[in-house]
């Protein structure tokens, strides 16, 4: 492959404006509801979030000036249990995006068979341009503003893009101070010393690996002869890549927001991780592969493509040129609605986000259970339980998609509908 000029990786190819994220959720929801014949009262209940909270967060910046940030927490549903979902710190966070992510959490928890509802939170900010002190004050202010929304039996946040165990530790501390007793179960994704679970950090990438193996078995792909390209080298992408590699799948391309790299012999992932550590957490100027564009990465001739960065990366135009046989959606919403049909007609199997990246919330659930028990499991136990949950979820989604003669995405929604409809009926609507 020819070496390209430095790519602008953040711009996917779009000929027209994509649907908003929540419109995309509703489009798929409505398609699946039609196929499954979801009763309209249940559908109407699930089409809207249960609660939406928006807060203004004044924060003293390091330069002595006050900056006011916007924060959100949207509870999509609590029919199956307390709501669960991450907190995103990013510049483009807005209520439409948070609403979509919250709804996906409802379906994700239901698909994985967890006794949890769905929620999501976010703050519109650029965490890369903020100091640790500014981020701490912002996170604590947000926790204070949300102290009546969050709760170990009410709504349990977790990390998402731009947040990690450090922010979760601040939330536990602030929430525990407000409530005057230690409450580790109020968030998951915590440091292990504060009641975090072993295996949580790698869990979403591990789930991506398990779903890739399950799909390959169904499709008759020999993993030892297979290749993969992974977009995004953060929490999900870096673990997904290294775990795929550990199963003898040759990862030939990786990327982050600074660029994409291709090596037909396989990327040396240890070197990539070391490079990332030394270069401000980026792959910039990584010498282990040719610099290619984002579009080239997404359309490489590989067996598996793992989008694990941002939403709306696989547009209809990209979909027409995708050569991978299997797409495993590590990210939330990486494939646009119009691309679904194109990929389906080309015979590309897409393991959808609400199944593919549900490993993270599954181990978050285990973390919450361990906090409630005050008893902590070994990593092997966590991983074994995780793998069983993921394999069962995959089987059910595969079965439902075959039963209803549809793709795995709509099969996953149908799997979720079956559980949600029962819960809503038992609890009752009055
Ligand atoms: P992260 O912030 O750790 O990593 C994101 C990665 O994407 C970084 O490497 C970043 O450089 C890269 N990136 C950003 N823009 C890019 C671009 N235009 N091209 C290529 N790479 C780009 O975030 P994460 O936690 O890994 O989350 C990634 C996705 O997975 C998000 O959609 C998130 O909602 C989803 N997800 C995360 C988890 C989790 O447990 N972390 C669970 C489920 C779903």
């Amino acid at each position: 492959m020819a070496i390209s000029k430095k790519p602008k990786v953040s711009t996917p190819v779009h000929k027209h404006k994509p649907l908003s994220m929540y419109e995309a959720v509703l489009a798929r929801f409505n398609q699946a509801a039609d196929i499954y014949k979801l009763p309209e009262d249940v559908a109407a209940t699930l089409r809207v979030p249960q609660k939406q909270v928006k807060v203004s967060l004044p924060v003293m910046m390091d330069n002595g000036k006050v900056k006011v940030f916007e924060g959100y927490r949207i509870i999509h549903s609590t029919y199956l249990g307390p709501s669960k979902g991450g907190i995103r710190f990013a510049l483009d966070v807005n209520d439409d995006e948070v609403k979509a992510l919250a709804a996906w959490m409802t379906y994700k928890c239901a698909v994985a068979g967890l006794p949890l509802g769905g929620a999501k939170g976010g703050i519109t900010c650029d965490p890369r341009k903020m100091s640790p002190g500014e981020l701490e004050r912002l996170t604590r202010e947000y926790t204070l503003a949300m102290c009546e929304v969050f709760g170990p039996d009410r709504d349990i946040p977790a990390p998402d893009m731009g947040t990690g165990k450090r922010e979760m530790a601040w939330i536990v501390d602030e929430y525990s101070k407000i409530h005057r007793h230690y409450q580790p179960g109020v968030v998951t994704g915590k440091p292990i010393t504060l009641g975090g679970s072993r295996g949580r950090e790698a869990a979403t990438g591990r789930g991506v690996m398990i779903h890739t193996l399950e799909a390959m078995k169904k499709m008759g792909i020999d993993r030892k002869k297979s290749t993969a390209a992974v977009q995004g080298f953060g929490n999900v992408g870096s673990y997904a890549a290294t775990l795929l590699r550990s199963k003898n799948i040759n990862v030939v391309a990786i990327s982050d927001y600074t660029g994409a790299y291709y090596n037909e012999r396989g990327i040396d992932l240890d070197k990539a991780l070391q490079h990332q550590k030394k270069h401000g957490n980026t792959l910039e100027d990584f010498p282990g592969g040719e610099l290619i564009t984002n579009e080239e990465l997404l359309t490489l001739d590989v067996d598996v493509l793992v989008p694990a960065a941002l939403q709306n990366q696989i547009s209809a135009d990209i979909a027409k040129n995708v050569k991978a046989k299997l797409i495993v959606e590590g990210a939330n919403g990486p494939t646009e609605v119009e691309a679904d049909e194109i990929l389906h007609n080309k015979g590309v199997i897409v393991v959808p986000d609400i199944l593919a990246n549900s490993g993270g919330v599954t181990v978050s659930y285990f973390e919450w259970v361990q906090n409630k028990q005050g008893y902590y499991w070994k990593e092997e136990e966590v991983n074994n339980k995780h793998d069983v949950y993921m394999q069962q979820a995959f089987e059910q989604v595969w079965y439902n998609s075959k039963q209803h003669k549809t793709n795995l995405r709509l099969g996953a929604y149908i799997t979720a509908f079956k559980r949600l409809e029962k819960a809503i009926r038992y609890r009752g609507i009055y």
Side-chain angles (χ1 to χ4, degrees):
M1 185 167 297
I3 299 180
S4 323
K5 269 179 66 193
K6 186 129 186 128
K8 267 199 180 154
V9 287
S10 55
T11 327
V13 177
H14 290 128
K15 288 238 167 83
H16 54 89
K17 197 171 171 280
L19 295 178
S20 83
M21 275 178 79
Y22 198 64
E23 285 167 347
V25 173
L26 285 184
R28 266 94 175 228
F29 176 94
N30 289 334
Q31 286 170 13
D34 280 351
I35 295 173
Y36 177 64
K37 301 195 177 22
L38 186 68
E40 185 46 36
D41 58 342
V42 175
T45 307
L46 289 170
R47 265 192 209 105
V48 283
Q50 282 180 344
K51 188 193 281 192
Q52 304 184 59
V53 184
K54 183 174 176 186
V55 290
S56 301
L57 306 166
V59 174
M60 180 65 72
M61 305 303 277
D62 291 347
N63 64 8
K65 292 195 176 137
V66 170
K67 190 167 171 188
V68 182
F69 295 87
E70 278 182 354
Y72 304 86
R73 186 74 184 166
I74 298 187
I75 314 288
H76 177 262
S77 82
T78 54
Y79 301 111
L80 290 169
S83 51
K84 186 92 196 76
I87 295 171
R88 181 174 282 196
F89 283 5
L91 261 186
D92 54 5
V93 164
N94 58 63
D95 51 1
D96 180 86
E97 178 179 295
V98 180
K99 210 157 81 169
L101 291 162
W104 278 326
M105 286 308 298
T106 289
Y107 305 120
K108 205 176 289 186
C109 291
V111 167
L114 309 178
L116 297 167
K120 203 80 180 190
I123 301 179
T124 314
C125 66
D126 188 351
R128 286 192 207 114
K129 298 213 173 108
M130 293 171 69
S131 71
E134 289 169 343
L135 285 167
E136 178 169 357
R137 293 191 288 280
L138 177 62
T139 307
R140 288 184 186 275
E141 187 68 25
Y142 177 70
T143 310
L144 195 59
M146 295 295 177
C147 73
E148 271 147 17
V149 178
F150 299 162
D153 291 310
R154 210 165 31 215
D155 175 46
I156 311 135
D160 191 68
M161 274 167 78
T163 60
K165 59 185 175 205
R166 179 182 64 172
E167 287 73 17
M168 298 307 112
W170 290 330
I171 296 177
V172 171
D173 184 69
E174 194 66 27
Y175 186 89
S176 299
K177 281 176 178 153
I178 296 164
H179 291 271
R180 302 273 178 236
H181 67 285
Y182 192 50
Q183 299 258 37
V186 71
V187 290
T188 58
K190 298 178 290 292
I192 288 181
T193 31
L194 295 184
S197 179
R198 288 175 209 288
R200 173 61 186 90
E201 209 170 287
T204 309
R206 186 174 180 88
V208 167
M209 178 269 285
I210 296 285
H211 291 299
T212 305
L213 298 187
E214 292 301 303
M216 280 182 160
K217 273 190 242 159
K218 297 276 187 202
M219 296 166 73
I221 298 176
D222 179 356
R223 68 183 157 85
K224 292 187 183 146
K225 292 187 188 143
S226 67
T227 52
V230 179
Q231 185 198 36
F233 207 61
N235 175 276
V236 182
S238 65
Y239 278 109
T242 44
L243 287 163
L244 290 176
R245 178 74 217 121
S246 75
K247 298 292 171 191
N248 296 316
I249 296 167
N250 193 10
V251 177
V252 293
I254 56 171
S255 72
D256 73 1
Y257 76 95
T258 64
Y261 299 89
Y262 171 77
N263 185 333
E264 74 175 326
R265 289 188 306 281
I267 299 277
D268 183 333
L269 295 168
D270 294 331
K271 273 203 184 129
L273 288 165
Q274 281 163 16
H275 182 93
Q276 190 186 39
K277 232 184 207 167
K278 281 195 209 137
H279 293 80
N281 207 23
T282 75
L283 292 171
E284 195 157 18
D285 300 326
F286 175 56
E290 295 168 21
L291 189 61
I292 59 171
T293 64
N294 190 39
E295 187 176 350
E296 281 167 334
L297 179 139
L298 295 171
T299 56
L300 275 176
D301 189 3
V302 286
D303 296 288
V304 193
L305 172 65
V306 178
L310 303 173
Q311 58 266 23
N312 294 336
Q313 293 299 293
I314 305 176
S315 61
D317 289 326
I318 297 267
K320 284 178 199 147
N321 297 317
V322 161
K323 291 176 206 70
K325 302 178 186 81
L326 171 64
I327 298 178
V328 185
E329 295 183 338
N332 285 311
T335 308
E336 289 180 5
V337 175
E338 309 82 66
D340 277 351
E341 205 182 329
I342 298 168
L343 294 169
H344 186 63
N345 292 340
K346 284 172 68 163
V348 179
I349 299 288
V350 180
V351 183
D353 44 11
I354 57 172
L355 174 64
N357 67 38
S358 62
V361 71
T362 300
V363 176
S364 271
Y365 162 60
F366 297 160
E367 180 173 331
W368 178 72
V369 169
Q370 292 171 76
N371 294 152
K372 282 189 168 290
Q373 292 178 330
Y375 174 72
Y376 292 87
W377 311 343
K378 293 200 164 56
E379 183 161 348
E380 197 188 353
E381 190 176 351
V382 173
N383 287 345
N384 290 342
K385 284 189 165 76
H386 163 275
D387 296 356
V388 170
Y389 268 73
M390 291 298 96
Q391 282 154 349
Q392 282 175 351
F394 186 91
E395 270 310 316
Q396 299 207 344
V397 169
W398 188 270
Y399 173 82
N400 283 322
S401 72
K402 294 286 163 232
Q403 281 285 94
H404 291 273
K405 299 188 175 49
T406 186
N407 59 25
L408 291 180
R409 190 183 309 284
L410 300 185
Y413 274 91
I414 291 168
T415 307
F417 289 164
K418 288 186 171 179
R419 296 196 171 117
L420 286 160
E421 185 189 0
K422 261 193 209 146
I424 291 172
R425 288 275 174 254
Y426 277 129
R427 293 184 68 160
I429 302 175
Y430 55 89

